[in-house]
Amino acid sequence: FTRADFVSLHCPLTPATRGLVGDRVLWQMKRGACLINCARGGIIDRPALERALFAGHLGGVGLDTYWEEPWQPKDPLYQRDNVVCLPHIGGSTEEAFVRIAAVVVENVGRQRRGEPLLHRLA
């Protein structure tokens, strides 16, 4: 965080990661650095983010996920020139779709053979 020009978040929201990026982390970032959140909104402490952003410490923020769903496009935070907002499509790449298709094909075969499915959560 202290040397990076860009920090991109890609982790699950868990009790351990909720609010992980708060005042301490944000103010340790290099002045003018950009923070990108492709994970979950709750990983960043929003009031801390606003303090660092509005004070000019952060150069910008890229958000692909939000604190509330559905997100509110008219929220003043999202209207700032140094905030870029996406509709949670940061992971929608050609490579991701190829991998998803491969897992689906594999799981269809596993289901037909009575084998455990890949990546099953419950």
Side-chain angles (χ1 to χ4, degrees), residues 53-98:
L53 188 63
F54 296 173
H57 183 73
L58 289 180
V61 177
L63 299 172
D64 191 40
T65 185
Y66 305 91
W67 295 269
E68 295 178 7
E69 297 289 344
W71 74 299
Q72 303 300 315
K74 294 185 181 185
D75 184 313
L77 174 65
Y78 308 144
Q79 299 297 312
R80 296 181 58 90
D81 289 339
N82 58 349
V83 176
V84 174
C85 299
L86 293 173
H88 203 52
I89 59 168
S92 299
T93 64
E94 182 177 344
E95 294 83 3
F97 286 124
V98 168

Side-chain angles (χ1 to χ4, degrees), residues 107 111 115-122:
N107 275 340
Q111 179 71 31
E115 298 172 359
L117 303 179
L118 298 175
H119 313 297
R120 186 170 177 175
L121 299 176

Side-chain angles (χ1 to χ4, degrees), residues 24-37:
R24 184 181 62 79
V25 170
L26 292 168
W27 289 93
Q28 286 180 353
M29 288 179 68
K30 184 162 93 174
R31 184 170 186 79
C34 294
L35 178 66
I36 302 165
N37 189 4

